[in-house]
Amino acid sequence: MKQRNLFLAFFRVGMLGYGGGPSSIPLVHKEVVEKYKWMNDDEFADVLALGNSLPGPIATKMAGYIGYRVAGIFGMINAVLATIVPTIAIMILLLTSLTFVKDEPWVAGMTKAVVPVVGVMLAVLTLDFTKKAEKNLGWLKTIAFIVLSFLLIQWLNIHPGIVIGALLLYALLAPIQEVKEQKKHEKGQSV
């Protein structure tokens, strides 16, 4: 049953994820967190952050990890295949049979019509992540990280993986620095 559900979940993601990897993220969230409850929002955010910091397509990385977590090696293979094989088959079918209508307005319109829906799905997911970040960090740090990330990614063209890696490093080192300062403070009081 797990293998069947894994296949169906990532098959839907692969078939409906128009617009590339980022457009599939809300679909993966819907299947993995909301429908099958294989992980909670925080775990999903961790997988997404780490997946974005590594090279390669996000949908297959997430499928591989989540499939492995749910059902081991066969789950990983199943989820990755469910994500990529149907779209590869459709691509081969479309490119071999519809090349003569690819410039028709209705074909181009199909892709353009999906973009606003993908935008709304990403906005909803962003709002959810912002609310969760506020619960853990408070509004000040959340807004500071949002503004800083936006400036680094959008204005300075720094790769999102580098920004995520830097924030992960900060999250790893900040508690160590706090412990050192606390020990120094305790030492100063005992003298």
Side-chain angles (χ1 to χ4, degrees):
M1 192 64 154
K2 274 186 184 174
Q3 295 292 348
R4 180 179 160 272
N5 290 341
L6 266 174
F7 183 85
L8 289 175
F10 284 99
F11 176 79
R12 283 188 287 266
V13 170
M15 295 301 291
L16 300 173
Y18 285 94
S23 66
S24 65
I25 293 168
L27 298 171
V28 175
H29 181 268
K30 187 142 197 84
E31 296 289 339
V32 170
V33 176
E34 294 177 21
K35 184 168 184 174
Y36 292 110
K37 303 188 184 320
W38 289 321
M39 59 180 52
N40 62 33
D41 283 322
D42 292 336
E43 293 168 327
F44 184 83
D46 291 343
V47 171
L48 179 61
L50 190 58
N52 269 326
S53 65
L54 298 173
I58 187 71
T60 51
K61 285 183 287 189
M62 292 184 81
Y65 173 75
I66 294 166
Y68 179 78
R69 182 179 156 149
V70 171
I73 295 290
F74 291 115
M76 176 189 72
I77 294 168
N78 185 13
V80 170
L81 289 177
T83 303
I84 60 173
V85 170
T87 52
I88 291 171
I90 289 172
M91 192 171 164
I92 291 169
L93 178 71
L94 290 176
L95 287 176
T96 54
S97 63
L98 296 177
T99 52
F100 58 92
V101 291
K102 70 177 182 183
D103 295 328
E104 292 292 326
W106 64 270
V107 174
M110 283 172 46
T111 307
K112 289 177 184 170
V114 174
V115 172
V117 177
V118 172
V120 169
M121 290 176 3
L122 287 171
V124 169
L125 193 61
T126 302
L127 185 62
D128 285 348
F129 281 152
T130 303
K131 287 178 182 174
K132 285 177 182 50
E134 185 276 325
K135 280 183 186 171
N136 294 328
L137 300 172
W139 278 118
L140 188 63
K141 276 189 177 178
T142 299
I143 291 171
F145 282 139
I146 289 171
V147 170
L148 179 66
S149 301
F150 181 78
L151 292 175
L152 292 173
I153 294 169
Q154 204 60 31
W155 283 7
L156 299 178
N157 277 335
I158 294 176
H159 191 277
I162 294 171
V163 175
I164 290 170
L167 289 174
L168 289 174
L169 195 61
Y170 168 78
L172 183 70
L173 297 178
I176 294 171
Q177 186 63 30
E178 286 177 14
V179 168
K180 281 182 182 176
E181 287 177 13
Q182 188 176 3
K183 282 183 180 177
K184 194 184 282 183
H185 180 72
E186 288 171 0
K187 222 177 188 179
Q189 283 184 339
S190 65
V191 175

